[in-house]
């Protein structure tokens, strides 16, 4: 069923309701903070958010249920924060540390809304079915590039392919490792089938993105065998006695590293960017940018275009240029 479009009046009403809710919780946060005075500030990491409720992991890995001050709007999973204790197992977040990276997506009003912070690696999941989309893949890679994150491509359900099918897959995506995006086949059904991916996840804070149906949830369940235990621990930390899958959650991987599971990336798309930012999002374009004969070159049919020359020389795959042109058209629309 198509999603019903909201009128300006409805959007304004929803925004007003949300603002009043934020104000009420903000008052609660300030009141709690005033009761304890200037308690010693502490460092922590947001590992889950549900509405105005945060679960903060302390430096000692204790979980604390926190509210956050009214002047802090978009506190998200992965944020490094300063917080103060207000009671047994409870506190208030008073400041958010500068983010090393932030993954955002447009909300219903078109405003970029952060969904995870301090992510170091974007894992783009593809599968034999549904048919992988190079257009979507390139969008994810552009997002990673602009956010300053590493990126890799993992083929889930590789056990569904025979040797010839796997070879064809590698051939189809062969240009990507050449420009710095590793290609990692995995299978949760084969012994040690996840080991190649786990090696890339160690010492990273990663987030999985991909088309619907590629098996992201199953892959996450396989990567985090103690997920139920971690969810139970987070449920206590929320102060609500439960945990919801409708919120971003940061999990510790047994083999090392962190993995953020966020419903916000299920329909992930690029936000408001301009043409110059889009160019910078194509890693293979970067050595040639600024070398075209015309400063405002569109890389279409202009003479002395460095990008077109790189395509002709085999240094940029033609499909990447086609994706770029399609995305430019999307910017224009």
């Amino acid at each position: 069923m198509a999603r019903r479009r909201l009128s300006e009046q409805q959007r304004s009403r929803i925004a007003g309701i949300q603002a009043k809710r934020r104000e009420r919780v903000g008052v609660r946060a300030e009141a709690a903070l005033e009761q304890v005075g200037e308690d010693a500030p502490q460092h922590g990491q947001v590992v889950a958010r549900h509405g105005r409720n945060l679960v903060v992991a302390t430096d000692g890995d204790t979980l604390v249920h926190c509210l956050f001050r009214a002047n802090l709007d978009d506190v998200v999973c992965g944020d490094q924060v300063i917080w103060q204790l207000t009671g047994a197992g409870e506190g208030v977040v008073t400041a958010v540390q500068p983010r090393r990276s932030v993954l955002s997506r447009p909300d219903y009003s078109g405003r970029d809304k952060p969904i995870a912070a301090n992510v170091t690696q974007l894992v783009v999941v593809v599968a034999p079915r549904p048919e992988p989309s190079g257009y979507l893949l390139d969008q994810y890679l552009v997002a990673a590039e602009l956010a300053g994150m590493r990126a890799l491509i993992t083929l889930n359900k590789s056990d569904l392919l025979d040797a010839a099918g796997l070879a064809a897959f590698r051939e189809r995506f062969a240009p990507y490792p050449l420009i710095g995006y590793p290609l990692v086949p995995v299978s949760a059904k084969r012994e040690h089938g996840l080991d190649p991916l786990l090696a890339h996840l160690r010492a990273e804070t990663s987030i999985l993105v991909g088309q619907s149906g590629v098996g992201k949830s199953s892959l996450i369940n396989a990567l985090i065998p103690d997920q139920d235990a971690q969810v139970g621990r987070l449920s206590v930390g929320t102060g609500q006695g439960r945990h919801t899958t409708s919120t971003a959650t940061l999990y510790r991987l047994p083999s090392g590293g962190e993995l953020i599971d966020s419903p916000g990336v299920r329909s992930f798309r690029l936000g408001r960017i301009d043409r110059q930012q889009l160019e910078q999002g194509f890693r293979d374009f970067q050595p040639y940018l600024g070398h075209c004969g015309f400063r405002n070159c569109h890389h279409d049919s202009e003479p002395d275009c460095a990008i077109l020359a790189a395509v002709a020389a085999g240094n940029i795959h033609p499909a990447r240029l086609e994706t770029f042109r399609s995305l430019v058209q999307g910017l224009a629309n």
Side-chain angles (χ1 to χ4, degrees), residues 211-328:
Q211 292 172 262
S212 177
V214 295
K216 295 188 296 295
S217 296
S218 297
L219 185 55
I220 288 171
N221 292 339
L223 291 168
I224 312 170
D226 63 341
Q227 187 175 14
D228 288 344
Q230 293 198 50
V231 167
R233 187 166 174 253
L234 287 169
S235 298
V236 176
T238 62
Q240 299 177 331
R242 62 184 176 88
H243 181 67
T244 173
T245 56
S246 64
T247 184
T249 303
L250 184 147
Y251 295 102
R252 315 288 186 188
L253 295 172
S255 57
E258 300 168 336
L259 184 63
I260 295 178
D261 180 18
S262 172
V265 301
R266 291 173 188 167
S267 56
F268 179 75
R269 61 193 184 280
L270 291 174
R272 292 180 177 177
I273 62 173
D274 58 30
R275 183 190 181 90
Q276 186 175 18
Q277 289 173 304
L278 182 61
E279 288 178 335
Q280 291 293 334
F282 280 76
R283 178 181 292 184
D284 37 349
F285 285 22
Q286 292 176 11
Y288 309 101
L289 296 177
H291 296 284
C292 295
F294 297 91
R295 190 177 65 176
N296 63 340
C297 183
H298 288 188
H299 319 310
D300 191 3
S301 58
E302 298 90 340
D304 300 323
C305 173
I307 298 295
L308 292 178
V311 172
N315 296 324
I316 296 177
H317 197 278
R320 291 273 289 172
L321 179 58
E322 286 304 313
T323 297
F324 171 78
R325 288 171 175 168
S326 296
L327 289 172
V328 167

Side-chain angles (χ1 to χ4, degrees), residues 103-105 115 139-140 143 209 264-270:
L103 187 64
S104 304
R105 56 165 299 205
I115 55 178
Q139 282 193 75
Y140 292 132
V209 299
V265 301
R266 291 173 188 167
S267 56
F268 179 75
R269 61 193 184 280
L270 291 174

Side-chain angles (χ1 to χ4, degrees), residues 140-163:
Y140 292 132
L141 297 180
V142 167
E145 205 70 32
L146 294 180
M149 304 172 189
R150 298 180 184 86
L152 64 86
I153 305 162
T154 186
L155 170 65
N156 195 23
K157 308 177 186 177
S158 63
D159 54 282
L160 299 179
L161 297 175
D162 57 17

Side-chain angles (χ1 to χ4, degrees), residues 169-198:
F169 169 81
R170 289 185 179 278
E171 179 62 26
R172 175 176 178 178
F173 292 94
Y176 292 98
L178 297 177
I179 55 177
Y181 301 117
L183 195 61
V184 185
V186 297
S187 170
K189 294 185 176 180
R190 289 178 178 166
E191 187 177 6
H192 304 298
L194 298 177
D195 288 354
L197 179 57
L198 288 170

Side-chain angles (χ1 to χ4, degrees), residues 29-41 69 84-86 92 94:
E30 295 299 326
L33 200 57
E34 287 177 3
Q35 290 177 5
V36 296
E38 291 298 322
D39 198 56
R69 303 188 79 162
Q84 289 181 257
L85 195 67
T86 59
V92 172
T94 59

Side-chain angles (χ1 to χ4, degrees), residues 23-232:
E23 183 179 356
R24 286 197 298 267
V25 178
V27 170
R28 285 170 51 204
E30 295 299 326
L33 200 57
E34 287 177 3
Q35 290 177 5
V36 296
E38 291 298 322
D39 198 56
Q42 302 182 56
H43 294 267
Q45 180 187 35
V46 177
V47 295
R49 173 180 173 176
H50 180 61
R52 299 290 292 184
N53 297 278
L54 305 176
V55 181
V56 174
T58 69
D59 288 343
D61 205 31
T62 299
L63 297 183
V64 181
H65 171 223
C66 288
L67 301 174
F68 53 96
R69 303 188 79 162
N71 63 325
L72 302 177
D73 186 18
D74 290 321
V75 186
V76 296
C77 187
D79 267 326
Q80 297 288 334
V81 297
I82 304 296
W83 66 282
Q84 289 181 257
L85 195 67
T86 59
E90 295 186 344
V92 172
V93 169
T94 59
V96 178
Q97 301 278 55
R99 293 164 171 163
R100 297 186 299 275
S101 68
V102 59
L103 187 64
S104 304
R105 56 165 299 205
D107 63 12
Y108 66 89
S109 66
R111 183 180 72 95
D112 279 354
K113 184 176 182 62
I115 55 178
N118 300 314
V119 178
T120 62
Q121 183 169 247
L122 200 70
V123 180
V124 185
V125 183
V126 298
R129 293 184 297 274
E131 180 71 15
S133 167
Y135 179 79
L136 286 176
L137 170 59
D138 286 336
Q139 282 193 75
Y140 292 132
L141 297 180
V142 167
E145 205 70 32
L146 294 180
M149 304 172 189
R150 298 180 184 86
L152 64 86
I153 305 162
T154 186
L155 170 65
N156 195 23
K157 308 177 186 177
S158 63
D159 54 282
L160 299 179
L161 297 175
D162 57 17
L166 189 57
F169 169 81
R170 289 185 179 278
E171 179 62 26
R172 175 176 178 178
F173 292 94
Y176 292 98
L178 297 177
I179 55 177
Y181 301 117
L183 195 61
V184 185
V186 297
S187 170
K189 294 185 176 180
R190 289 178 178 166
E191 187 177 6
H192 304 298
L194 298 177
D195 288 354
L197 179 57
L198 288 170
H200 285 276
L201 299 180
R202 293 189 186 102
E204 303 284 354
T205 299
S206 304
I207 194 164
L208 272 59
V209 299
Q211 292 172 262
S212 177
V214 295
K216 295 188 296 295
S217 296
S218 297
L219 185 55
I220 288 171
N221 292 339
L223 291 168
I224 312 170
D226 63 341
Q227 187 175 14
D228 288 344
Q230 293 198 50
V231 167

